Amino acid sequence: MKFGHRVSIGVILLACFCAPAPGQSQDEDASNSRPAESSPAASADEIIAMLRQDPGLLQQVKTSVIQDAQEQGRPVDSADLTDNVLFQMIRDDRNIRLLVSHEIDKQAGAGPEDQDAAAPGERQPENRKNRDSVERNSDTPDSENPEDQNGYVPTKDQAGRSENREAGDKQNRAGTANRPGTENGDTEKPKVQKNYSLQPPVKRPPVVDPNQPATKGMRNPYPGLPSAADLYRQFPSQQAKLERFGARLFLNGNGHTDLLPMDLPAGPDYVLGPGDGLFINLWGSVSQRMNVTVDRGGQVALPEAGGVMVAGQTLASAQQMIQRVLSAQFKNARIDVSLTRLRTVRVYVVGDVAQPGAYDISSLSTPLNALLAAGGPTPQGSLRTVRHYRGSELVREVDLYDLIVNGVRSDVERMQPGDSILVPPVGAQVTVAGMVKRPAIYELRNERELSEVLELAGGVLVSAALRQIKVERIEAHQKRITLSVDLPDSADGDKESLRQALGTFRVQDGDRVTISPILPYSDTTVYLQGHVFRPGKYSYHAKMEIAEVLRSYQDLLPEPAEHAEIIRLTPPDFRPKMIEFKLSDVLGGEDPIELEPFDTIRIFGRYEIDAPKVVIFGEVLRPGDYPLSEGMKASDLVRMAGGFKRSAVTHNADITSYVVENGEQVQTRHTTIEISKALAGDGLADLALKPNDTLTIHQLAGWKDVGASLAIKGEVMYPGTYGIDEGEKLSTLLKRAGGYRTTAYPEGAVLERVQVREIAEKSKQQLIQQVETSGKNVRLPASASAQEQAALLTTINQQQESVVSALRKQPANGRLVINISGDIEKWRNTSNDIELRANDVLTIPKLPHFVLVTGQVYNAAALTYIPGASARAYLRQAGGPTDMANKKDIYIIRANGSVVGHGGRSSLWSGNTLSVALRRGDTIVVPQKIIGGTHAWKDVLDSVQLVSSLAIAARVATTF
């Protein structure tokens, strides 16, 4: 099987358990005991570990998951649910973990430790409680090791309760003597069995209306039509799995008799027996209190009076006997006798019960208490006939339905030592499903008629279709047949007529009675949707008109559209058709329209369908699209947009209109209007807007330069930030700043501009990308050996990483090269007197006394400036080029940012670089020799080195 198919199976199963199944109400979900609101106490890994250790339990869990999916109408092949798919679902989905935890609890019975006691499918050979009593008498108490063999650790509350009960048991054992049933004459109180559960208490689901059965939506070709949504509903063909009625009575019965209440009132008619504890209180001439216990002989020992036989006597009779005996010893003494401790009686619960065996229970217990202690009947055990034997004598047959259905307990006889409870196999059963108050599987006793069975199920619901009663029957040992219950017309009357009609149908063992629901929709309904205050369903009657649903504009939301429509489902196949109408005609009474069942009235808003709109751009507070209301003019649009900004041209505006000519093409027209007059109320100047008109409010000329400023730093008289005028030039700014200081070096001035920096940053990123791309295409010499090619390739890669790393570290240079001098008048109003822009930064450096030599030289440094000295002289002072230097491409960066090179390989430069006389602040750059590669590769790396050097030179100029 392909993995993708298995994943799809997991997705289907996740969908089953993440949402209620079609046709399954929340009450039915609760009846399956799925704790949708709680969390499992064990983690996913712990659950998976348990399933790996117990293959039988794993198979049972798989069966349960598949059954749940099938009950929800999503059949799953068992071959698709592999171990890995199930384990992945347990890890991924909380609902799956809850379902699996519940199944583990159900299979474990009283607790996880029961799985160790017996293999899956085997019945325990002895009473679990008696075995626990023996285990508790071992040398190592359970309280010292709260973790059981399966690795489960009790919660804090469970551990506390266990410790308290064990402490009480020790005290009771120490305070009782001469009781029958033990070596010391004591009847030992049964011990408490630990019960650790994977699953916390189940939270109750929210209450739902049983008269609204769940349906599943079929494929609806008209998803926006509410009438079609009601009609495209289907009741599920597969009903939810039903429980056996009454089985939940024993779900909380854990089989621990010591957890049953022991403080039940014992009246004066209580019959005493060996093991009962009595408290005798004497007052009057003597005051004394004593605790005595009825011994095996049935006597109690009294002071100075000896033994008194009280076994078989009622509590009232025993008090009279003790009064007579002690009155002879103590004159004028009054006596009161009360019961302090109940004896336990050993009874036997056999037959089809969860845990058959011998049980020590309270002497006040009834057959129901004994049955609870044994975990209740199995699915094969009867709930209608529970026999109570005393020896060979049948004391009573108990019908548990008396308690479950009517709340009446018929097991009034108390258990005596040696009594036995027999649960015979289940009798005839009938399944009642569908629209009844308690759908379940019912066991029959004296019920023979369908009406009696439905009474057990609580009766039929008002939403039941009594003409749709189906009975699936098994003809014994032959075949299955399906019957329909035909009711006469008279059965549609009162309940008594219906009961008599149903009484004529006889039920049999194995019948499944299904009562279908009535149709899920109403055929006397019309629907209102859209642009209204109260959408939804409305009652329909014959000759009904639309004005009865829409009486006035007050029923509509603001600005409804004139166009409205009715979607009518035409019988007999309910094919939809649309009827258009004008809303104003209907509300004005000019166009009465008669409605039919299932009609859907749709009202639209003015701006819902092909909404007319206009657009405003430019100098307003809120430019954008606006709905075009009736009669809107240009002035209205300006006001809706918040009015003019301070930067707006307020006397005129531009309108662009789109006109459809002859229904074939769109023509564009531009119109200039006097918007100031329109806003002043001049109707002739105010133009009425049409759909899709565009209104543009112009900006004042030069507004972007208002508030523009730049910074001037360095060696000027008044450095700082200055506002600038449009078109203001560099010479004007320097004069406003007071001119140069005596230490200024104008030839090295640095002008940085934001726009240049942005372009440089973009070029830098492109250059880095080009380097990384070109490096992959480097061609190696074919004559070189493989070892030489590998070494050369390593060197090329290292050089590439070094160059790119240096380029990344250098910030983008926004320097704009300018040529100015100390005499401002000399270059004022020339091409060197450039216009300034907002946010420019001008730096006038100090007069430098050095020349910088950088790159591949032995001593890169700033050397003292020597007037008239050539580049060769400075290069000689720096130790000359290294072996890695590219001597042919040495270039000079002037202090003003211009570059001087020589006519080398790339023909970028002209002149003899080394013979050039340097000026103050110039930089000699000796580039690195490019190893290997094509001419294009070398040109790219040359460009990278140049960009890095220019950034260094600019930083030096503005720093030193």
Side-chain angles (χ1 to χ4, degrees):
M1 182 179 297
K2 296 183 180 179
F3 179 75
H5 181 57
R6 296 184 180 177
V7 172
S8 65
I9 293 300
V11 172
I12 292 175
L13 290 172
L14 289 178
C16 295
F17 304 114
C18 290
Q24 182 177 6
S25 66
Q26 296 183 19
D27 284 341
E28 293 169 344
D29 186 59
S31 68
N32 291 333
S33 302
R34 183 182 301 163
E37 301 295 335
S38 58
S39 299
S43 66
D45 291 338
E46 291 174 337
I47 295 174
I48 292 173
M50 290 183 59
L51 297 179
R52 291 184 188 278
Q53 294 174 2
D54 192 339
L57 181 60
L58 174 61
Q59 186 59 40
Q60 185 62 35
V61 167
K62 285 185 179 181
T63 302
S64 178
V65 171
I66 293 174
Q67 287 177 352
D68 264 39
Q70 291 175 345
E71 290 164 7
Q72 298 179 31
R74 301 178 177 92
V76 175
D77 190 356
S78 59
D80 296 331
L81 187 59
T82 63
D83 295 353
N84 292 333
V85 170
L86 177 62
F87 295 158
Q88 190 62 40
M89 291 165 57
I90 293 173
R91 293 188 183 96
D92 294 343
D93 190 79
R94 174 176 173 271
N95 290 325
I96 297 292
R97 289 197 298 274
L98 290 172
L99 174 69
V100 175
S101 297
H102 171 66
E103 184 63 29
I104 291 175
D105 280 347
K106 186 169 67 175
Q107 296 299 321
E113 62 268 44
D114 284 346
Q115 297 178 11
D116 294 342
E122 295 182 1
R123 185 179 300 276
Q124 297 185 27
E126 59 175 338
N127 186 346
R128 176 60 189 254
K129 287 189 56 56
N130 295 336
R131 191 190 69 186
D132 285 345
S133 299
V134 175
E135 292 174 352
R136 289 295 178 89
N137 290 330
S138 62
D139 296 335
T140 304
D142 288 345
S143 59
E144 295 179 2
N145 184 15
E147 183 174 351
D148 68 1
Q149 297 177 1
N150 284 335
Y152 294 96
V153 180
T155 63
K156 182 177 180 181
D157 293 339
Q158 290 172 329
R161 289 195 295 268
S162 298
E163 293 173 0
N164 293 337
R165 289 197 297 268
E166 291 176 6
D169 293 342
K170 294 178 181 178
Q171 182 178 0
N172 292 334
R173 288 195 296 269
T176 57
N178 298 325
R179 292 174 52 199
T182 63
E183 296 177 357
N184 297 327
D186 293 342
T187 300
E188 185 178 2
K189 183 179 179 181
K191 298 298 178 283
V192 178
Q193 175 185 351
K194 290 192 294 184
N195 181 21
Y196 308 138
S197 176
L198 278 174
Q199 194 156 303
V202 178
K203 294 184 179 180
R204 294 186 179 276
V207 178
V208 295
D209 186 3
N211 288 304
Q212 299 292 335
T215 58
K216 62 179 179 180
M218 304 302 291
R219 183 179 178 274
N220 181 8
Y222 315 104
L225 194 61
S227 55
D230 283 352
L231 291 173
Y232 277 90
R233 305 294 299 176
Q234 185 181 76
F235 294 112
S237 58
Q238 293 185 356
Q239 298 293 333
K241 182 179 180 180
L242 297 179
E243 286 187 344
R244 182 187 181 195
F245 181 72
R248 299 179 67 85
L249 176 65
F250 301 96
L251 285 182
N252 295 327
N254 50 20
H256 306 322
T257 55
D258 56 331
L259 297 182
L260 299 176
M262 302 300 290
D263 54 353
L264 298 175
D269 58 343
Y270 176 75
V271 179
L272 297 175
D276 284 335
L278 301 178
F279 177 75
I280 302 175
N281 185 17
L282 287 78
W283 75 93
S285 60
V286 61
S287 178
Q288 187 175 354
R289 296 180 178 86
M290 64 187 74
N291 285 306
V292 295
T293 302
V294 181
D295 59 19
R296 291 183 179 180
Q299 296 183 344
V300 292
L302 301 177
E304 303 182 10
V308 177
M309 176 64 68
V310 295
Q313 300 293 326
T314 64
L315 185 60
S317 299
Q319 179 170 342
Q320 294 176 2
M321 294 174 59
I322 296 173
Q323 174 78 36
R324 289 196 302 269
V325 171
L326 294 182
S327 296
Q329 304 296 328
F330 306 101
K331 303 298 182 181
N332 300 323
R334 302 293 301 275
I335 298 173
D336 180 68
V337 178
S338 60
L339 194 65
T340 60
R341 190 177 189 280
L342 295 174
R343 71 182 184 276
T344 58
V345 295
R346 174 158 294 188
V347 298
Y348 301 90
V349 185
V350 295
D352 289 289
V353 292
Q355 295 178 350
Y359 287 85
D360 296 325
I361 60 177
S362 165
S363 56
L364 292 177
S365 299
T366 63
L368 180 59
N369 299 125
L371 199 57
L372 282 168
T378 64
Q380 294 76 34
S382 175
L383 291 172
R384 304 299 303 270
T385 305
V386 178
R387 297 188 178 97
H388 177 194
Y389 287 98
R390 187 161 293 151
S392 59
E393 177 186 358
L394 177 63
V395 178
R396 177 182 290 272
E397 283 190 352
V398 179
D399 185 358
L400 295 181
Y401 275 24
D402 290 340
L403 173 64
I404 301 171
V405 178
N406 304 317
V408 177
R409 291 186 59 175
S410 57
D411 58 336
V412 294
E413 290 81 6
R414 290 172 179 163
M415 302 296 292
Q416 296 290 337
D419 283 3
S420 60
I421 301 297
L422 173 64
V423 178
V426 65
Q429 289 183 313
V430 172
T431 301
V432 182
M435 305 309 292
V436 293
K437 295 180 180 178
R438 291 192 298 261
I441 302 172
Y442 292 88
E443 182 181 354
L444 305 181
R445 191 173 188 185
N446 299 319
E447 296 82 9
R448 295 293 180 267
E449 300 173 355
L450 179 58
S451 59
E452 295 175 326
V453 175
L454 294 180
E455 287 180 3
L456 286 179
V460 296
L461 296 170
V462 296
S463 57
L466 297 180
R467 300 288 181 181
Q468 298 290 334
I469 301 179
K470 178 180 64 176
V471 178
E472 299 174 56
R473 175 164 294 176
I474 301 174
E475 291 189 355
H477 316 296
Q478 296 183 27
K479 61 181 179 179
R480 296 178 183 270
I481 60 175
T482 301
L483 306 175
S484 295
V485 180
D486 297 324
L487 299 179
D489 295 337
S490 60
D492 294 335
D494 55 11
K495 293 183 178 180
E496 183 61 27
S497 300
L498 176 61
R499 189 187 66 80
Q500 292 178 359
L502 293 174
T504 60
F505 189 88
R506 298 284 179 171
V507 294
Q508 298 180 10
D509 184 17
D511 281 358
R512 181 183 179 90
V513 181
T514 303
I515 301 180
S516 301
I518 59 177
L519 294 177
Y521 60 85
S522 171
D523 58 358
T524 58
T525 301
V526 293
Y527 302 82
L528 178 63
Q529 68 174 176
H531 202 70
V532 295
F533 280 110
R534 293 178 289 270
K537 299 180 181 180
Y538 287 80
S539 175
Y540 169 81
H541 61 82
K543 305 296 182 180
M544 182 178 183
E545 295 184 355
I546 192 173
E548 298 181 46
V549 179
L550 295 175
R551 294 177 173 83
S552 68
Y553 279 99
Q554 293 182 351
D555 294 328
L556 308 177
L557 297 177
E559 294 193 87
E562 184 69 11
H563 169 80
E565 60 192 29
I566 296 174
I567 309 299
R568 176 161 295 169
L569 302 182
T570 307
D573 60 349
F574 295 109
R575 183 176 304 170
K577 71 175 182 178
M578 187 180 70
I579 302 173
E580 297 184 359
F581 66 92
K582 292 183 65 175
L583 186 61
S584 58
D585 292 346
V586 169
L587 295 179
E590 301 176 5
D591 185 17
I593 300 177
E594 189 172 310
L595 298 176
E596 294 184 6
F598 300 112
D599 277 358
T600 299
I601 306 169
R602 281 182 174 172
I603 307 298
F604 302 99
R606 177 179 174 81
Y607 309 108
E608 287 185 42
I609 303 177
D610 195 18
K613 65 178 182 178
V614 290
V615 185
I616 184 170
F617 293 123
E619 303 307 299
V620 289
L621 294 179
R622 295 184 295 272
D625 297 351
Y626 287 88
L628 177 63
S629 59
E630 190 71 26
M632 177 182 280
K633 296 186 176 182
S635 59
D636 298 326
L637 180 57
V638 172
R639 293 187 181 96
M640 291 182 66
F644 296 128
K645 292 182 178 179
R646 291 185 296 110
S647 57
V649 175
T650 59
H651 62 276
N652 60 38
D654 180 79
I655 290 183
T656 301
S657 299
Y658 303 91
V659 180
V660 178
E661 292 187 351
N662 301 325
E664 295 180 353
Q665 62 180 356
V666 176
Q667 294 291 336
T668 303
R669 297 177 182 176
H670 302 285
T671 306
T672 300
I673 65 170
E674 296 179 294
I675 192 65
S676 58
K677 292 183 178 181
L679 290 170
D682 188 346
L684 296 177
D686 203 0
L687 187 65
L689 298 177
K690 301 183 295 299
N692 300 319
D693 278 0
T694 300
L695 176 62
T696 302
I697 306 298
H698 303 296
Q699 187 183 71
L700 292 171
W703 180 261
K704 289 185 177 180
D705 295 326
V706 174
S709 63
L710 56 72
I712 183 170
K713 303 177 182 179
E715 301 304 303
V716 293
M717 298 301 295
Y718 312 115
T721 302
Y722 289 82
I724 59 174
D725 298 331
E726 183 180 2
E728 184 171 357
K729 295 190 175 182
L730 182 58
S731 60
T732 305
L733 175 65
L734 288 173
K735 288 185 176 181
R736 291 169 61 193
Y740 303 120
R741 296 181 61 187
T742 57
T743 57
Y745 184 56
E747 289 78 2
V750 177
L751 178 61
E752 295 178 288
R753 183 161 289 175
V754 174
Q755 293 81 359
V756 176
R757 182 178 294 108
E758 291 174 351
I759 295 174
E761 178 64 29
K762 184 177 181 181
S763 300
K764 169 185 167 182
Q765 298 301 327
Q766 291 176 349
L767 192 57
I768 292 175
Q769 183 179 4
Q770 188 176 1
V771 170
E772 294 174 344
T773 304
S774 300
K776 298 177 181 178
N777 301 322
V778 171
R779 288 182 298 179
L780 301 176
S783 59
S785 63
Q787 185 176 1
E788 292 174 345
Q789 289 183 352
L792 181 59
L793 185 60
T794 301
T795 304
I796 292 175
N797 291 335
Q798 291 176 352
Q799 186 178 56
Q800 173 185 332
E801 293 175 1
S802 175
V803 172
V804 172
S805 176
L807 183 60
R808 291 185 191 276
K809 293 178 181 178
Q810 294 294 338
N813 180 21
R815 185 175 187 177
L816 182 64
V817 177
I818 56 176
N819 293 308
I820 62 174
S821 62
D823 186 358
I824 298 177
E825 292 298 329
K826 185 177 181 180
W827 51 268
R828 189 168 68 89
N829 295 327
T830 66
S831 59
N832 293 327
D833 194 6
I834 64 174
E835 289 187 5
L836 301 175
R837 298 286 185 269
N839 301 316
D840 282 354
V841 178
L842 176 62
T843 303
I844 306 297
K846 287 181 178 293
L847 182 67
H849 299 284
F850 62 86
V851 170
L852 184 65
V853 181
T854 184
Q856 296 299 316
V857 293
Y858 286 103
N859 184 23
L863 304 176
T864 302
Y865 170 70
I866 302 174
S870 65
R872 183 178 287 104
Y874 288 104
L875 189 60
R876 191 179 299 115
Q877 292 185 47
T882 66
D883 295 337
M884 290 298 297
N886 184 3
K887 300 176 184 179
K888 296 180 181 180
D889 290 334
I890 297 175
Y891 54 89
I892 298 170
I893 301 176
R894 293 291 189 184
N896 65 356
S898 60
V899 179
V900 178
H902 68 88
R905 168 181 49 80
S906 60
S907 300
L908 291 176
W909 327 113
S910 62
N912 189 349
T913 305
L914 297 181
S915 62
V916 173
L918 297 188
R919 304 167 188 168
R920 295 178 183 268
D922 287 353
T923 302
I924 302 174
V925 179
V926 181
Q928 184 179 1
K929 184 188 298 182
I930 307 303
I931 302 175
T934 62
H935 290 296
W937 163 250
K938 294 179 179 180
D939 289 342
V940 170
L941 289 190
D942 282 340
S943 300
V944 172
Q945 295 185 79
L946 175 59
V947 170
S948 299
S949 300
L950 289 172
I952 294 173
R955 189 167 66 251
V956 170
T958 56
T959 304
F960 294 96

